[in-house]
């Protein structure tokens, strides 16, 4: 069936092309820097233009079976964590803010809240906040949380499109994958991006760009408008790491989603920005402003063949419990220690038995927290997650409730923890490990080590495990029939003629 | 930090600060009103009209359009920076455009209307915070290369000012700043494009938003200003220092020591030096030869500080033209003035101008530092007859070392505001701002800003 682009209330704007600069220097010698400026690249040769072209020209047939499969898993997981996230305090606060500041819009649905709809931008915002509210959402390599920045915006935009012209499931998946792919490509422009971040929180940098790209695709913007959408988004990107492990962190994803959508909408109305935003221009920073080292590469347009999506080469990590990815290694290592101890003695681990707990982990300030005080801090604490797993044998959603966090046994263990940062343990999600070494009263030591936790891209969650996670999350806010229907709809998303079937199940 | 602005009472504002900040408010309103006739403003307005809310705030120069407060702050902020006509400070940023639109939008939503003095105090808090933050980094003292400063410190200033007007507690103020930091930072590459004005619009709205979120209890990192991975991410060198204890009676405002520059031309600040130098060189030529004739000119050399984003030999858009040493120098030579009208498409496209542009070369002497406090511009006109005429500008009229007289500031405002408001509105604003510290209810300002002229109603859709 031929696909017609969604009829726009947003007219395509004709844009006059950039003029090539004529060499105008005089016969006498000119200062070198002035000469450099005159040699402007022809628009089509720029990295920025190549991205605009890619976004605009990618077609559904370019999605391979592997990419379809992996991205559907991401969509399912993202919806599930968003649904459970809609029960958190930070979500409530964000929703209240939107409802106070803006009258109820009736366009786009809000995860898990029947009867509440917001304008698309705000729906993208709150649903993005929900997705990241418990740090339960997916993680990629190089490090970012790709889906939470993109899915809420694509959902909100789909709700906005006229009833007689909703995107098909395939259009939806295509836009989603464009948003993921763009993030992956941008992360590869910098070596700094390969390690656990220190300066800017990656979702706030590449997530905004991914959202803009995905929305540009769904709006069927032309190559030039698509590149302007990216450039406008760049001026909305960037949040510092200091707000990680605080209640504001989820807003990084919420904002990435909504601001990317906003950038695409502004571009569709004809707003223009820098045509060189992704290129490296000495003396004038574009997207490069967010990185210490930056080497951009143009993106090949797919043409008639398939495109090699990064998702095909590099899978995603899904979390088994709601905490920073680094916690999963120490939790698995500590769980194996717990198993050994419990197997030998009484059914629980008692602090009285424990003399010392040594964690060998990579060096990263924002996840080194001896005594976390809020759930946000606890989700970013090697110490907390290791001790919880030592005590309980696992870390779960419930581990971060105030009751669980205030247990005296837990505090007793926490006070016995010390950290070491071995040289061979880099702050890199592809290469790190977690080791837990318990010294018992009496002198015996028990050791556990995890190189690859279950859920990591090297050891992906099975489809069963992923659905189990989804059910457990979604059932907190939706009835089981809706939960099962969602699983089916996402599974068949690429066959869906009209994505309304997906949109209607979310609340 | 937070103690400072929570505890600042109204009597901590000195006469010097009151005087200077009122000038800033007037100038900002004028350039904002003029800016509501630009294409970028219209795009942002259309976009913003997608949203409605119970709370309503005015759009400057529009008698009957209201928007949710955040979007009013957004579009009015864009208007202020749309023509690069707004104030500039040292270290470099455009301080007022990020703060005033947010405050006025917020004021309209408060259950009891703030007084003029409340507004003035909040405004100065927003300016002061920006000044303090910029002094945490040496990088900030030079013409920027990476992040556009209003997008870094402007949003923080807006958050601080909004927090002040809302009467937030010290702890909430800290969180307002922390939340705002996650909304900071736009790259310089979008300067000289249509998106640059959004940097100020977004700074205003997102700072306001941060304050509102803090008000309902959202928390961020309370050490946001202390950490390298906090506000420090926007700078290569970052050394924060605590603000002086506000309990001490006489607080020393930065604005007292360091004034702002107001622009005479709607273009990047650097252009003002080159224009004054070009006008002076032109006059020398005219005095020597008796009359000024373009055909006499063989070559023009501009000696300017190194700054890529304002080095544009052949601008194609108004945004590029406002960021081009070459364009502004040549316009000055051609027309003997540079005005608002110089940046229209027709003016940019003149063949005489392009021909002259072809004769221009740039030099960046070692002693010409990329700092608005230290730079100079020199224009040398070489003639066919032989002699050269050179003039240099160290301090243009309007710079903080040579401030605009009150008369010229008010004239600038009147000319700008009259393009949109009727006479009663123009004079009303001048009157209210002039006496703001005595105004009991600042909503009167909003009503003047909505008094459009009859001509305006007819010309509503005209785009600059």
């Amino acid at each position: 069936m031929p696909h017609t682009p969604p009829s726009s209330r947003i007219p395509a704007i004709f844009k006059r092309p950039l003029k090539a600069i004529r060499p105008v220097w005089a016969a006498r010698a000119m200062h070198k820097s002035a000469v450099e400026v005159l040699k402007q690249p022809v628009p089509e040769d720029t990295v920025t233009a190549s991205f605009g072209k890619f976004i605009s020209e990618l077609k559904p047939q370019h999605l391979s079976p592997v990419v379809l499969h992996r991205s559907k898993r991401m969509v399912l997981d993202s919806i599930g964590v968003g649904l459970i996230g809609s029960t958190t305090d930070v979500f409530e606060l964000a929703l209240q803010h939107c409802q106070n500041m803006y009258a109820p819009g009736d366009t786009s649905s809000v995860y898990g809240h029947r009867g509440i709809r917001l304008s698309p931008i705000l729906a993208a915002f709150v649903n993005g906040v929900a997705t990241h509210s418990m740090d339960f959402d997916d993680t990629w390599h190089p490090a970012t949380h790709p889906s939470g920045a993109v899915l809420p915006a694509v959902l909100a935009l789909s709700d906005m499109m006229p009833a007689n012209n909703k995107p098909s499931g395939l259009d939806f998946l295509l836009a989603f994958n464009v948003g993921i792919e763009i993030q992956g490509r941008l992360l590869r422009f910098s070596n700094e991006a390969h390690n656990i971040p220190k300066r800017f929180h990656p979702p706030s940098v590449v997530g905004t760009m991914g959202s803009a790209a995905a929305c540009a695709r769904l709006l069927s913007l032309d190559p030039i408008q698509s590149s302007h959408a990216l450039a406008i988004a760049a001026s909305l990107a960037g949040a510092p790491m200091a707000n990680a492990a605080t209640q504001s962190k989820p807003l990084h994803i919420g904002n990435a989603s909504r601001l990317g959508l906003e950038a695409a909408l502004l571009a569709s109305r004809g707003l223009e920005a820098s045509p060189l935003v992704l290129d490296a221009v000495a003396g004038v920073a574009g997207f490069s402003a967010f990185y210490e080292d930056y080497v951009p590469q143009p993106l090949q347009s797919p043409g008639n063949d398939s495109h090699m999506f990064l998702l095909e080469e590099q899978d995603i990590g899904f979390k088994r419990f709601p905490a920073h990815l680094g916690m999963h290694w120490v939790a698995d290592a500590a769980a194996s220690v717990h198993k050994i101890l419990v197997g030998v003695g009484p059914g629980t681990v008692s602090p009285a038995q424990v003399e010392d707990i040594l964690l060998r982990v990579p060096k990263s300030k924002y996840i080194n927290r001896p005594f976390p005080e809020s759930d946000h801090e606890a989700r970013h604490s090697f110490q907390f997650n290791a001790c919880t797993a030592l005590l309980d044998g696992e870390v779960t959603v419930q581990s971060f409730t105030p009751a669980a966090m205030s247990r005296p046994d837990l505090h007793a263990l926490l006070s016995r923890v010390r950290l070491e940062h071995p040289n061979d343990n880099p702050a890199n999600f592809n290469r790190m490990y977690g080791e837990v070494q318990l010294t018992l009263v009496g002198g015996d030591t028990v050791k556990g080590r995890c190189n690859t936790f279950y859920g990591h891209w090297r050891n992906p969650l099975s489809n069963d495990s992923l659905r189990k996670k989804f059910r457990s999350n979604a059932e907190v806010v939706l009835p089981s029939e809706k939960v099962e229907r969602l699983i089916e709809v996402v599974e068949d998303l690429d066959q869906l003629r009209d994505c309304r079937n997906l949109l209607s199940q979310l609340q | 930090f937070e103690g400072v602005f929570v505890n600042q009472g109204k009597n901590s504002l000195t006469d010097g600060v009151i005087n200077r900040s009122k000038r800033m408010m007037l100038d900002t309103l004028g350039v904002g009103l003029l800016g509501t006739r630009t294409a970028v403003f219209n795009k942002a307005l259309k976009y913003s009209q997608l949203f409605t809310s119970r709370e309503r705030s005015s759009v400057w120069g529009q008698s009957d359009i209201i928007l949710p407060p955040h979007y009013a702050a957004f579009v009015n902020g864009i208007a202020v920076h749309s023509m690069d006509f707004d104030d500039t400070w040292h270290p470099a940023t455009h301080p007022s455009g990020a703060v005033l639109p947010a405050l006025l939008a917020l004021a309209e939503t408060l259950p009891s209307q703030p007084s003029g003095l409340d507004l003035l105090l909040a405004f100065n808090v927003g300016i002061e915070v920006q000044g303090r933050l910029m002094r945490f980094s040496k990088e900030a003292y030079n013409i920027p290369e990476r992040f556009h400063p209003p997008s870094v410190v402007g949003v923080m200033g807006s958050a601080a000012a909004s927090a002040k007007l809302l009467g937030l507690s010290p702890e909430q103020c800290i969180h307002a700043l922390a939340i705002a930091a996650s909304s900071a930072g736009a790259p310089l590459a979008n300067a000289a494009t249509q998106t640059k004005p959004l940097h100020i619009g977004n700074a205003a709205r997102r700072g306001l938003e941060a304050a509102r979120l803090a008000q309902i209890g959202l928390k961020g990192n309370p050490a946001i200003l202390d950490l390298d991975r906090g506000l420090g991410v926007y700078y290569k060198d970052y050394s924060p220092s605590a603000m002086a204890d506000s309990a001490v009676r006489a607080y020393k405002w930065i604005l007292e020591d360091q004034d702002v520059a107001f622009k005479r031309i709607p273009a990047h600040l650097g252009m003002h030096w080159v224009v004054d130098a070009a006008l002076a060189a032109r006059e020398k030529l005219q005095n020597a030869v008796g009359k000024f004739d373009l055909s006499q000119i063989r070559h023009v050399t501009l000696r300017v500080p190194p700054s890529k984003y304002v080095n544009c030999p052949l601008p194609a858009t108004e945004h590029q033209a406002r960021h081009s040493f070459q364009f502004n120098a040549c316009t000055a030579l051609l027309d003997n003035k540079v005005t608002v009208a110089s940046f229209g498409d027709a003016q940019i496209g003149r063949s005489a101008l392009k021909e002259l542009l072809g004769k221009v070369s740039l030099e960046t002497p070692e002693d010409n530092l990329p700092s608005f406090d230290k730079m100079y511009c020199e224009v040398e006109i070489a003639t066919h007859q032989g002699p050269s005429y050179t003039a240099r500008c160290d301090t243009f009229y309007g710079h903080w070392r040579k401030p605009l007289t009150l008369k010229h500031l008010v004239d600038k405002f009147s000319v700008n505001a009259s393009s949109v408001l009727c006479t009663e509105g123009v004079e009303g604003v001048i009157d209210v701002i002039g006496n703001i510290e005595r105004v009991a209810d600042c909503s009167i300002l909003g009503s003047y800003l909505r008094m459009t002229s009859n001509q305006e109603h007819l010309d509503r859709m005209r785009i600059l």
Side-chain angles (χ1 to χ4, degrees):
Chain A
M1 129 223 80
H3 169 68
T4 48
S7 67
S8 299
R9 299 176 220 156
I10 302 144
I13 304 284
F14 171 72
K15 168 74 191 91
R16 88 189 145 160
L18 296 169
K19 299 181 193 154
I21 303 296
R22 300 190 312 274
V24 290
W25 49 80
R28 66 161 80 171
M30 224 160 89
H31 194 275
K32 204 159 153 243
S33 65
V35 173
E36 305 284 275
V37 170
L38 285 178
K39 288 185 225 149
Q40 293 226 9
V42 173
E44 297 75 52
D45 287 350
T46 63
V47 172
T48 310
S50 75
F51 271 64
K53 198 154 180 276
F54 174 87
I55 292 166
S56 187
E57 294 182 358
L58 199 71
K59 306 247 180 322
Q61 60 259 34
H62 295 124
L63 295 169
S64 71
V66 171
V67 168
L68 280 174
H69 172 70
R70 286 181 172 175
S71 56
K72 287 194 287 192
R73 281 161 57 93
M74 288 158 77
V75 169
L76 188 71
D77 186 70
S78 193
I79 291 175
V81 308
L83 287 169
I84 194 175
S86 71
T87 62
T88 58
D89 282 348
V90 60
F91 172 86
E92 205 39 58
L93 194 152
L95 181 62
Q96 193 194 329
H97 171 72
C98 292
Q99 289 177 308
N100 285 349
M101 294 306 302
Y102 309 95
D106 54 7
T107 313
S108 302
S109 34
V110 170
Y111 281 154
H113 280 64
R114 220 139 179 247
I116 297 186
R117 284 181 169 260
L118 294 173
S119 65
I121 302 274
L122 298 179
F125 176 60
V126 300
N127 288 337
V129 170
T131 305
H132 201 42
S133 59
M134 298 164 70
D135 231 301
F136 212 175
D137 46 329
D138 55 20
T139 310
W140 211 11
H141 179 67
T144 195
H145 303 292
S147 301
V150 173
L151 186 62
V154 175
L155 286 170
L157 192 52
S158 301
D159 267 326
M160 185 174 136
M161 298 198 140
N164 60 346
N165 216 337
K166 289 282 185 211
S168 66
L170 200 51
D171 291 328
F172 186 95
L173 268 176
L174 182 63
F176 179 78
N177 276 290
V178 164
I180 304 301
E181 178 74 358
I182 293 298
Q183 293 185 64
R185 294 283 163 184
L186 292 175
L187 285 166
R188 280 157 177 74
F189 286 175
S190 164
N191 285 327
E192 185 186 337
H194 283 70
N195 297 330
I196 295 178
K198 284 190 194 173
R199 267 194 334 143
F200 290 103
H201 189 212
S204 71
V205 179
V206 298
T208 316
M209 306 295 275
S211 169
C215 294
R217 180 77 209 105
L218 202 61
L219 287 168
S220 298
L221 300 189
D222 70 38
I224 290 180
Q225 287 173 314
S226 298
S227 98
H228 283 307
L230 288 179
I232 297 165
S235 274
L236 293 163
M241 280 309 292
N243 277 331
T246 78
Q247 200 187 31
S248 283
K249 188 192 192 197
L251 271 72
H252 292 183
I253 290 271
N255 277 327
S257 204
R258 82 156 143 167
L259 295 172
L261 170 53
E262 186 170 273
L265 287 174
L266 284 165
S268 76
R269 292 196 180 278
L271 187 69
E272 293 155 14
S274 169
L276 292 173
V277 73
L278 298 183
D279 296 79
V281 179
V284 184
F287 189 66
S288 60
F290 301 106
Y291 297 102
E292 309 267 73
D293 65 303
Y294 183 79
V295 181
Q297 305 289 337
L299 199 48
Q300 292 290 41
S301 266
N304 287 324
D305 316 312
S306 62
H307 169 78
M308 189 42 137
F309 281 86
L310 289 169
L311 191 55
E312 189 120 21
E313 303 169 344
Q314 168 69 61
D315 200 359
I316 293 276
F318 293 113
K319 292 174 174 176
R320 286 183 356 256
F321 57 86
H324 181 276
L325 203 76
M327 310 302 105
H328 286 64
W329 278 271
V330 294
D332 275 14
S336 63
V337 170
H338 168 94
K339 242 208 229 160
I340 294 173
L341 288 180
V342 162
V344 166
T348 54
V349 171
S350 156
Q353 310 168 264
V354 176
E355 168 123 350
D356 177 75
I357 305 171
L358 177 62
L359 304 183
R360 292 196 181 88
V361 291
K363 192 158 179 216
S364 179
K365 274 212 198 123
Y366 80 108
I367 38 184
N368 174 350
R369 247 165 252 278
F371 296 104
E373 287 177 13
S374 65
D375 65 298
H376 301 282
E377 289 191 359
R379 303 183 200 280
H380 296 78
S381 163
F382 280 128
Q383 295 92 331
F384 180 87
N385 286 272
C387 291
T388 299
L390 274 174
L391 213 53
D392 305 334
E394 59 174 356
V395 182
T396 67
V397 171
Q398 302 309 319
S399 307
F400 300 92
T401 58
M405 283 183 63
S406 55
R407 292 180 287 170
D409 275 0
L410 184 64
H411 279 252
L413 286 183
L414 281 173
S415 59
R416 291 168 171 77
V417 176
R418 11 172 223 120
L419 252 55
E420 248 176 36
H421 306 298
N423 283 335
D424 68 345
N425 201 349
N428 174 309
F429 291 142
N430 211 19
R431 298 191 286 137
M432 66 175 274
Y433 64 84
E435 210 171 81
V436 175
Q437 180 175 298
L438 211 66
T439 306
L440 297 169
V441 166
D444 295 328
T445 60
V446 185
K447 211 152 87 160
R449 173 161 170 148
C450 171
N451 289 325
T452 303
F453 66 85
Y454 178 46
H456 191 269
W457 43 85
R458 286 193 300 262
N459 187 7
L461 290 191
S462 64
N463 282 338
D464 269 351
S465 294
L466 195 72
R467 284 186 189 162
K468 189 156 165 253
K469 176 186 173 185
F470 178 80
R471 284 191 184 98
S472 139
N473 286 340
E475 272 164 14
V476 175
V477 290
L478 295 180
S480 333
E481 318 87 64
K482 272 210 169 144
V483 174
E484 293 309 313
R485 231 175 304 154
L486 261 174
I487 295 179
E488 278 167 27
V489 165
V490 174
E491 183 57 37
D492 296 326
L493 194 51
D494 49 327
Q495 311 292 332
L496 217 56
R497 229 168 13 127
D498 183 331
C499 70
R500 251 177 306 191
N501 287 342
L502 173 64
L503 301 173
S504 57
Q505 305 297 342
L506 299 172
Q507 30 175 226
Chain B
F1 215 77
E2 67 293 348
V4 177
F5 51 85
V6 168
N7 295 331
Q8 283 310 335
K10 301 165 195 185
N11 32 354
S12 74
L13 289 175
T14 63
D15 283 343
V17 165
I18 291 179
N19 180 45
R20 285 180 172 176
S21 54
K22 289 197 308 190
R23 283 162 58 97
M24 288 158 77
M25 289 170 92
L26 187 70
D27 187 69
T28 300
L29 290 171
V31 307
L33 286 165
L34 184 65
T36 60
R37 297 302 168 259
T38 57
V40 59
F41 174 85
N42 269 279
K43 286 179 185 170
L45 182 63
K46 276 207 184 57
Y47 168 74
S48 300
Q49 287 175 300
L50 290 174
F51 308 99
T52 55
S53 72
R54 282 182 295 264
E55 288 181 328
R56 286 130 191 260
S57 298
S58 326
V59 178
W60 300 351
Q62 305 279 346
S63 52
D64 50 14
I65 297 182
I66 37 122
L67 288 176
H70 291 178
Y71 284 98
F74 179 58
V75 301
N76 290 333
I78 288 173
V80 169
H81 201 43
S82 59
M83 298 165 69
D84 231 301
F85 212 178
D86 45 327
D87 56 20
T88 311
W89 212 11
H90 179 67
T93 195
H94 302 292
S96 304
V99 173
L100 190 60
L103 285 179
L104 292 183
L106 178 59
E108 283 183 275
T109 70
L110 296 176
S112 73
Q113 280 297 291
S115 68
L117 196 52
D118 290 328
L119 188 68
L120 192 62
L121 182 61
F123 179 79
N124 276 290
V125 165
I127 303 301
E128 180 74 2
V129 163
Q130 294 185 64
R132 291 280 160 193
L133 293 177
M134 286 190 291
R135 280 156 175 74
F136 290 172
S137 166
K138 294 197 189 53
E139 188 186 335
Y141 282 76
N142 295 331
I143 296 179
E145 284 189 356
R146 251 181 0 132
F147 289 105
H148 189 211
S151 70
V152 178
V153 299
V155 68
M156 307 295 279
S158 168
S162 304
K164 183 70 187 143
L165 199 65
L166 285 168
L168 301 190
S169 71
E171 211 209 324
Q172 286 174 316
C173 289
I174 302 178
H175 288 300
L177 289 178
I179 298 163
S182 276
S183 294
L188 201 59
N190 277 331
T193 78
Q194 200 181 41
T195 290
K196 189 192 191 197
L198 270 72
H199 292 182
I200 289 271
N202 277 324
R205 88 158 139 160
R206 301 184 75 193
L208 170 55
E209 182 173 81
R212 297 299 294 251
L213 284 165
Q215 185 183 40
I216 56 177
L218 184 69
K219 297 184 180 356
N221 190 323
I224 193 75
L225 300 181
D226 301 81
L227 299 167
D228 272 356
R229 64 184 193 276
L231 196 68
V233 298
Y234 299 105
Y235 297 102
K236 293 213 165 89
D237 68 294
Y238 183 73
S239 298
S241 50
M243 286 179 93
D245 190 354
S246 59
V248 173
R249 261 223 319 161
Y251 179 76
K252 199 74 163 93
W253 298 85
I254 294 178
L255 191 55
E256 190 105 38
D257 287 337
Q258 171 69 61
D259 200 359
V260 296
F262 294 112
K263 291 179 175 173
R264 286 173 12 246
I265 305 162
H268 181 275
L269 202 75
M271 310 303 104
H272 289 66
W273 277 270
V274 85
V275 165
D276 275 12
L279 292 174
R282 186 188 195 279
E283 195 179 341
K284 279 191 182 177
L285 172 58
Q286 178 145 351
N287 289 341
V289 172
K291 67 175 179 70
F292 178 82
D293 187 339
L294 271 186
S295 57
Q296 302 164 309
I297 299 181
R298 182 165 59 83
H299 189 81
V300 177
T301 307
L302 308 180
R303 293 188 187 96
V304 298
S307 180
K308 286 278 169 62
Y309 78 108
V310 285
N311 174 350
C312 186
L314 196 64
T317 66
E318 61 164 293
H319 303 284
Q320 288 181 325
R322 301 186 199 281
H323 295 77
S324 164
F325 280 128
Q326 297 91 330
F327 177 86
N328 284 273
C330 290
T331 300
L333 290 176
L334 204 56
D335 303 335
N336 203 19
K337 62 181 175 181
V338 183
T339 66
V340 170
S342 306
F343 298 90
D345 279 344
Q347 295 298 92
I348 294 175
R350 289 181 291 171
S351 52
L353 183 67
K354 289 187 176 172
E355 195 189 320
L356 188 56
L357 281 168
K359 298 178 183 175
V360 175
S361 66
L362 236 61
E363 284 174 12
T364 55
E366 290 246 337
D367 69 345
N368 203 344
L369 302 169
S371 151
F372 291 142
D373 203 40
K374 303 205 173 98
M375 62 175 275
Y376 65 85
C377 282
E378 209 170 82
V379 174
E380 180 183 327
I381 308 175
T383 58
H384 288 293
Q385 290 77 354
S388 286
Y389 302 89
T390 307
R392 171 171 167 144
C393 172
D394 287 302
T395 305
F396 64 86
Y397 176 48
H399 190 268
W400 43 83
R401 289 192 298 262
K402 208 195 266 184
L404 290 193
T405 61
L406 184 60
K407 174 170 185 313
H408 287 148
L409 189 76
V410 173
D411 281 349
K412 176 186 173 187
F413 173 81
S414 299
V415 168
N416 288 342
S418 304
S419 66
V420 170
L421 299 182
C422 64
T423 316
E424 190 189 343
V426 175
E427 290 177 358
V429 174
I430 295 175
D431 192 42
V432 168
I433 298 291
N435 295 297
I436 191 129
E437 65 271 40
R438 290 175 279 278
V439 167
D441 176 349
C442 67
S443 62
I444 184 91
L445 182 58
S447 0
Y448 285 130
L449 290 171
R450 288 193 293 275
M451 280 187 194
T452 53
S453 62
N454 280 330
Q455 184 60 27
E456 245 320 293
H457 279 112
L458 299 173
D459 287 352
R460 177 80 58 78
M461 294 312 290
R462 179 172 50 116
I463 291 173
L464 190 79

